[in-house]
Amino acid sequence: MSFGPAALAAWTVLEFRRDLHEHRSRVAQGCRPLETPCGRVEWAEAGPVDGPPLLVIHGSGGGFDQGLRLGADPAARGWRVTAPSRFGYLRTPFPADPSGEGQADQFAGPLDALDGGHLLLGHQTRVGAEIDAFLRAALRR
């Protein structure tokens, strides 16, 4: 009887669990939750606190961590990068109504909390929600 395939399968499962734990620990560091009218938003910042503000919206396949990676170069150049997780990513819950309007309100939450104008860097195929968030935040000021 050969234990080769079973040992390989067990090793693969153990490595997967170890990698998953490392990734979950990594994304849990440096983020913070924010309660908004549309629910909880998980977000993080990078770069100098007094730098010009830049809101970075991630695409599919990640959350605020992907936004931070996308904003790493601007942060290194002195920008204050704010990266929220979109609905359903990492620990930002998926609401009953995940409409574009709701997503725009979610993006406006960190903008309101930071009380300052932000430039926008979006990284997804549908940027309408990001643009709508900026218009809504501007109208509330």
Side-chain angles (χ1 to χ4, degrees):
M1 180 171 178
S2 172
F3 290 104
L8 179 60
W11 176 81
T12 301
V13 168
L14 290 173
E15 284 296 302
F16 173 77
R17 288 181 179 167
R18 184 187 58 80
D19 287 349
L20 188 59
H21 176 73
E22 284 179 15
H23 290 293
R24 285 182 175 160
S25 296
R26 179 182 51 81
V27 297
Q29 296 173 5
C31 68
R32 53 187 154 178
L34 174 68
E35 291 300 327
T36 72
C38 15
R40 186 171 158 243
V41 178
E42 183 179 49
W43 61 296
E45 290 185 294
V49 175
D50 60 347
L54 179 67
L55 182 68
V56 179
I57 308 298
H58 67 86
S60 60
F64 73 85
D65 58 323
Q66 187 183 65
L68 289 179
R69 280 193 304 275
L70 182 63
D73 186 57
R77 294 173 186 258
W79 289 82
R80 177 184 179 191
V81 172
T82 301
S85 289
R86 293 171 38 216
F87 290 154
Y89 286 86
L90 300 177
R91 288 173 296 275
T92 297
F94 196 82
D97 177 21
S99 66
E101 293 81 16
Q103 188 78 78
D105 287 339
Q106 181 208 31
F107 293 148
L111 293 176
D112 291 341
L114 295 167
D115 195 32
H118 274 63
L119 293 177
L120 168 68
L121 176 60
H123 184 244
Q124 62 178 353
T125 56
R126 186 171 169 252
V127 296
E130 290 95 331
I131 293 169
D132 195 20
F134 272 73
L135 293 175
R136 289 173 186 223
L139 291 173
R140 285 197 293 269
R141 296 197 191 284

